[in-house]
Amino acid sequence: MSFDKVNEVETEGAEAGKKNPLVKMVTCGNVRLSIFENDRQQSGEAALYYTVKVSRSYRDGAGKWQSTSSFYKSHLPQLIHACQRALAFVEDAESEAAAAPPF
């Protein structure tokens, strides 16, 4: 399946100073995945992990843009494609972090 409108926006540094900064957005049609970077302490060491927020945009009866976390069957291919792109980003980011020197 081909998606002509798949956008990936890296936002690294855009939210400097925030606890869990948004690092990337993947948009496919009206489906958007926002990827956030998180830190936690695990066994006394800092550990990095990612969380993903999923949403869909739509226009309400008044023509105003709204957002929801509900999806119709017709949105599922877009959602799957966006999830695959987000997974690839997270796996790459985790690989880079694991290969980085600890200083």
Side-chain angles (χ1 to χ4, degrees):
M1 180 171 287
S2 172
F3 295 100
D4 294 334
K5 293 188 124 187
V6 176
N7 296 320
E8 294 187 24
V9 178
E10 303 240 1
T11 60
E12 202 163 348
E15 295 189 46
K18 285 202 170 186
K19 184 176 178 182
N20 300 326
L22 174 67
V23 293
K24 187 173 190 81
M25 286 192 320
V26 177
T27 305
C28 185
N30 290 350
V31 174
R32 174 180 295 159
L33 277 71
S34 302
I35 304 171
F36 298 88
E37 190 173 85
N38 301 268
D39 293 315
R40 70 170 175 233
Q41 292 294 319
Q42 184 174 355
S43 302
E45 294 185 27
L48 181 66
Y49 67 101
Y50 296 87
T51 55
V52 179
K53 180 180 176 184
V54 180
S55 63
R56 176 180 59 87
S57 300
Y58 68 96
R59 287 191 189 260
D60 64 15
K64 186 176 178 184
W65 282 103
Q66 302 289 333
S67 181
T68 183
S69 58
S70 298
F71 300 87
Y72 294 113
K73 177 184 171 186
S74 61
H75 297 122
L76 295 180
Q78 296 170 348
L79 178 60
I80 290 167
H81 186 71
C83 285
Q84 289 171 334
R85 303 288 285 258
L87 178 61
F89 170 80
V90 170
E91 287 176 338
D92 288 347
E94 289 175 340
S95 292
E96 287 177 16
F103 48 89

